[in-house]
Amino acid sequence: MATAEEKQTKREKFLAEMKKVAEKASKMTPEELKCSYKGILYPSVLCSKETFQAMEKLEAREDDVLILTYPKCGTNWTIQILHEMLFEMHNKEPTLDQAMLEFGNPEKFEYMSQQPSPRVISSHLTCENIPKSFFEKKTKMLLILRNPKDTAVSFYHFSNKNPVLPTYESWDLFFKDFITGNVIYGSYFDYTLQWEKHIDDGTILVLTFEDMKADLTKALRKINDFYGLALKDEQIKLVQEKTTFFSMKEKSSNTHGDLGNVFFRKGEVGDWKSLFTEDQSKEVDAHFEKYLAGTKLGNMINYEKYCTF
Ligand code: A3P
């Protein structure tokens, strides 16, 4: 097990790397901050064609823990939950370099191949861009959904506070890009609809941000059962205490450096009402109706409950 000193050094290295990336990005124009691969926009300081190509050869493991999210749907929350659960179960130290599968240089996959199991891997990629190996190995995946209106508002604030993303002069301008899918990682609606194809594979557990927020213990039990972790009630309680919004926000400068308060902003359900106009709300309703109404994932989002004024 790593000593406290080794852990501290690793964390410092990770935060220093994050800082370097942010500094580089702060000197770039909004256009330069975007790059495109296979028709989808990505943050150019974090993603590259070379890394995408190297990723295609990645060898998944049956016991990988793969966390899937559209941006702002609870990625960091879920990563932390899994790290805490695995720590309780196997005494496995959380890796601090929690960046996404698609971030970084192509050599990272060599490093990943040497990491001990179970690896916690997260990604915002659409199912078509997730390396095939994960499907071949029948890796268990956790898909976290969040209602589109809160996702959009969270994404807007994040874009304006995180130097690696293009900033927007107004919410209205961001909204236009969000609804047409002209944002980093593309359309929320396409993303969600694509995963619908895999919903009956038997390898995906779907949870929603809203359900996690309403009853975190219940969500933790579902994850526990899905991965066969056999955590005791006391252990689940410990994980729950460490992964509430306030516990995570409190430690966020340690885990996420200067961006701590940016990643852990409000952590609420329904904040969309602070920015959406009636017309914008109707526009999202129409998109939801067109793409997701009646689908299994659409039903899980519980749209009526969370997206009505
Ligand atoms: P808000 O911007 O609405 O506050 P991601 O990690 O995918 O970038 O998602 C970020 C969103 O999840 C932010 O939403 C953040 O505050 C929220 N979040 C992070 N940790 C959370 C937690 N433990 N409980 C509730 N919400 C959390």
Side-chain angles (χ1 to χ4, degrees), residues 23 67 100 127 135 152 158 165 183 190 193 199 205 213 226 258 266 287:
E23 270 164 22
I67 298 168
M100 315 293 288
C127 73
F135 297 99
F158 194 62
L165 298 177
V183 281
D190 285 342
L193 191 60
I199 193 72
L205 174 67
K213 189 78 196 162
F226 181 63
D258 295 343
K266 279 194 173 175
H287 266 65

Side-chain angles (χ1 to χ4, degrees), residues 25-41:
S26 65
K27 298 187 187 98
M28 294 164 71
T29 65
E31 275 317 302
E32 286 169 339
L33 288 170
K34 297 184 248 182
C35 65
S36 171
Y37 186 71
K38 294 190 179 172
I40 295 184
L41 296 174

